[in-house]
């Protein structure tokens, strides 16, 4: 799991022309963001409310949900805490 997240952070700094794995990493970022959005909306929370619950800036949460930003383990822990689930439970079935 740490390797995947570290790879996500590195991959976002490179253009897609540098390695064919970039597309796969961007796809993973999108899956994570879609999962965050699905779980948030299932609870009936606005993005702003959920960001406040997690202690994350709303703009950053929007970037995560759109798959535009890398998600660190620290941020995943905040999101998991906001959703009242472990990081491993959150990631289960995504990758």
């Amino acid at each position: 799991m740490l390797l995947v997240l570290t790879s996500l952070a590195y991959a976002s700094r490179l253009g897609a022309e540098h390695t064919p794995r970039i597309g796969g990493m961007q796809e993973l970022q999108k899956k994570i963001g879609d999962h965050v959005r699905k779980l948030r909306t299932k609870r009936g929370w606005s993005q702003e409310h959920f960001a406040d619950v997690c202690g994350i800036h709303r703009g950053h949460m929007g970037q995560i949900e759109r798959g535009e930003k890398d998600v660190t383990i620290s941020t995943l822990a905040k999101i998991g805490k906001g959703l009242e689930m472990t990081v491993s439970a959150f990631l289960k079935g995504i990758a």
Side-chain angles (χ1 to χ4, degrees), residues 1 5 32 35-36 39 43 50 72-94:
M1 180 172 70
L5 296 175
I32 290 171
H35 195 53
V36 170
L39 294 172
R43 288 164 172 76
F50 183 54
T72 64
I73 290 180
S74 170
T75 300
L76 277 177
K78 290 177 183 181
I79 290 170
K81 186 174 181 180
L83 294 169
E84 298 180 344
M85 61 182 9
T86 64
V87 172
S88 60
F90 173 80
L91 291 174
K92 192 172 186 172
I94 290 179

Side-chain angles (χ1 to χ4, degrees), residues 29-85:
Q29 284 177 222
K30 181 73 172 130
K31 285 181 181 179
I32 290 171
D34 289 344
H35 195 53
V36 170
R37 180 177 285 127
K38 180 182 90 176
L39 294 172
R40 172 183 62 77
T41 58
K42 184 177 180 181
R43 288 164 172 76
W45 295 338
S46 70
Q47 191 178 79
E48 184 172 6
H49 172 75
F50 183 54
D52 286 344
V53 167
C54 295
I56 298 171
H57 189 277
R58 193 210 57 79
H60 185 63
M61 184 65 76
Q63 291 173 322
I64 292 168
E65 288 189 5
R66 290 187 301 273
E68 297 172 354
K69 272 294 194 198
D70 294 328
V71 183
T72 64
I73 290 180
S74 170
T75 300
L76 277 177
K78 290 177 183 181
I79 290 170
K81 186 174 181 180
L83 294 169
E84 298 180 344
M85 61 182 9

Side-chain angles (χ1 to χ4, degrees), residues 3-12 25-26 28-29 32 70:
L3 179 60
V4 170
L5 296 175
T6 302
S7 296
L8 272 175
Y10 178 72
S12 72
M25 299 314 274
Q26 290 171 337
L28 181 58
Q29 284 177 222
I32 290 171
D70 294 328

